Amino acid sequence: MSTTFIGMPTVPGTGNLFERAPFPQVAQHELGNVQLRTNLTKATTAIRTKRAARVAELGDWEDLRDSGAAAKDVVLARLPELLTQFEAAFTAAGGTVHWARDAQEANAIVRGLVEDSAPLNEDGRREVIKVKSMATQEIGLNEYLEDHDIDAYETDLAELIVQLGHDKPSHILVPAIHRNRHEIRQIFLRGMEDADPNLGTEPRELAEASRKHLRKKFLTTKVAISGANFGIAETGTLSVVESEGNGRMCVTLPETLITVMGIEKLLPTIDDLGVFMQLLPRSSTGERMNPYSSFWTGVTPGDGPRNVHVVLLDNGRTRALADQHGRQALRCIRCSACMNVCPVYERTGGHAYGSVYPGPIGAILTPLLTGTDAEENSTLPYASSLCGACFDACPVKIDIPQMLVRLRNEGNVVKESEHGRLPKTQLDVALTGASWLMSDGRRMALMEKGLPLAKLLSPKAGIRSLPGIAGAWTSSRTIPRPPRQSFRSWWSAEHREEAREERREARDRAQFRRFEARSGAEPAPEAGPAPRSENQHETKES
């Protein structure tokens, strides 16, 4: 067993966790892609509908969510203990545990294991097959291996589409969600040497083409790389749940199996799986259960891989764990339910987020892993309308809207510490002015007196074009024509007589008290309900 120090909050996450450009800039470009928006709307609507139907079947869904959140919080509270327990159990079962602080260490470990286990081909390169894995996407493993003469072949259908299309994943669960079947056909014809030129666009035909393309790789490749949905500390067991069966073949056929798993994926005992095996399939694919659920514990002679390794990946996770409020993001089970209900994601797609983790969860998880002081990810917490749909959909009750607001504030604190409190941009000026105006009722009332003039000067159809930063809003929205009066003005007008009467009564009471004080009389008691007499009580009782 290795000597391991758990908890290095100063080590930031690295790899595919950074925006290439500010979110608003990339999102503006993606909004112009009509085909992308059509594909996303169709796919997310279908998944949302299936999920709603499966969730409605369970009368205790909210109880399951509570249980899932509580179980993950226990894991985070006991993480050092559970990690060392998992290491001991995995090692006792014949496996080997490796620890990686960041993406560079994880990639180097995997490369060394592949070079030790995979034979050289005639072209001097090595081959591995892969199960869909967010952790390996996070660390940029495929790109790293390619630079070191190792070809990694994705076996998940959606990941294969992305790989053959020289594309990037845009969704945690369905990486090629931004592609339709006509685009997929073209990708297969260009990227598969053995593809039938008469290949159609029916899903069955496309799936069959991918099976034929991958079958030889399954049967001949000596090394497989996987991620893990869960790791069981008590037994050292790893698991992958999926819908296609490719994962089952990857974790059983090769001689060497290497798993890259984030340290937060642990559960204390096998019994804890019961809750998550109900939450995950319903939240991700809208199914009652996953068609393929694979579990393996170390090495079993004569059955499955003979060399089993697991790389336990930190890459900023202990940094997130050190954040008292942000650690709840580590509950995430990568179901993608938050993305499927997010209006911002549905319109911009996953590529706008830059990080391998898109959507609402990516907008909080990515800055937490890299640090809120990472300038590249400073705009991600603003990639949300704060509508709250993501919190309602999350199976482990991560309060994403609250975290987004908190990260926005932390980002502002960092900016103020570096540049001072003076506003630097049009947005800073606008928000500073709004804060000053709305913090005082008298200033608000004075501003509201200008509403009649604003209504008179505004087009009847609404305001469709504004200068400066406000133009970003009106480029895709129309601001309604201002009302004739504010709600406060309307309320005052509607209740003017009541207000006058209240002021008159208050003035009369004050004058009466002053008169009593001058005359030396004992002050009258405050008005209140008259006490009931004994006779009244008896009458009611009778």
Side-chain angles (χ1 to χ4, degrees), residues 435-455:
S435 176
W436 176 83
L437 184 67
M438 296 180 182
S439 62
D440 187 281
R442 290 170 296 180
R443 291 195 284 262
M444 278 290 293
L446 185 62
M447 185 272 294
E448 290 168 354
K449 290 184 182 297
L451 283 176
L453 179 61
K455 180 179 177 64

Side-chain angles (χ1 to χ4, degrees), residues 408-425:
R408 291 179 186 185
N409 181 62
E410 290 181 8
N412 290 333
V413 170
V414 170
K415 288 180 182 178
E416 289 176 4
S417 66
E418 294 176 351
H419 307 295
R421 296 186 62 88
L422 291 177
K424 301 293 183 181
T425 65

Side-chain angles (χ1 to χ4, degrees), residues 22 31 34 87 107 163 206 239 259 309 365 435 481 511 526:
L31 284 171
V34 178
E87 180 185 31
N107 286 332
Q163 186 176 50
L206 297 171
S239 74
T259 300
H309 301 264
L365 183 60
S435 176
R481 194 181 188 192
Q511 290 176 348
E526 289 289 336

Side-chain angles (χ1 to χ4, degrees), residues 176-205:
I177 195 172
H178 56 290
R179 298 291 192 183
N180 61 35
R181 57 188 183 178
H182 299 283
E183 293 173 308
I184 294 170
R185 175 183 180 273
Q186 293 300 321
I187 290 172
F188 280 8
L189 290 175
R190 290 194 302 265
M192 292 181 180
E193 296 179 356
D194 52 356
D196 184 348
N198 297 317
L199 179 66
T201 59
E202 289 300 313
R204 179 184 56 80
E205 294 181 66

Side-chain angles (χ1 to χ4, degrees), residues 451-472:
L451 283 176
L453 179 61
K455 180 179 177 64
L456 182 64
L457 297 177
S458 301
K460 292 183 178 180
I463 303 171
R464 297 183 177 179
S465 178
L466 286 174
I469 191 171

Side-chain angles (χ1 to χ4, degrees), residues 266-423:
L266 290 182
L267 293 176
T269 70
I270 200 77
D271 293 336
D272 295 306
L273 274 173
V275 170
F276 294 96
M277 295 301 281
Q278 296 181 76
L279 289 173
L280 182 56
R282 286 175 168 84
S283 298
S284 57
T285 55
E287 296 172 296
R288 296 183 181 91
M289 64 181 293
N290 294 101
Y292 296 90
S293 298
S294 301
F295 299 86
W296 65 98
T297 305
V299 177
T300 301
D303 182 16
R306 296 195 296 270
N307 302 303
V308 178
H309 301 264
V310 62
V311 180
L312 296 176
L313 177 68
D314 185 332
N315 205 37
R317 284 160 176 79
T318 50
R319 187 186 184 106
L321 186 66
D323 188 314
Q324 179 182 358
H325 303 284
R327 64 182 351 188
Q328 64 175 301
L330 296 178
R331 295 179 194 162
C332 179
I333 57 175
R334 309 294 192 267
C335 69
S336 75
C338 61
M339 286 178 239
N340 299 328
V341 298
C342 178
V344 176
Y345 174 86
E346 186 174 305
R347 286 158 180 79
T348 64
H351 294 155
Y353 294 80
S355 166
V356 70
Y357 298 114
I361 186 61
I364 64 170
L365 183 60
T366 299
L368 286 167
L369 293 177
T370 62
T372 53
D373 54 343
E375 181 63 29
E376 297 94 332
N377 293 330
S378 61
T379 61
L380 282 180
Y382 294 89
S384 170
S385 64
L386 299 179
C387 67
C390 50
F391 174 67
D392 294 336
C394 178
V396 288
K397 289 195 168 182
I398 301 172
D399 196 342
I400 296 176
Q402 181 193 63
M403 279 305 307
L404 288 168
V405 173
R406 184 176 295 278
L407 289 171
R408 291 179 186 185
N409 181 62
E410 290 181 8
N412 290 333
V413 170
V414 170
K415 288 180 182 178
E416 289 176 4
S417 66
E418 294 176 351
H419 307 295
R421 296 186 62 88
L422 291 177

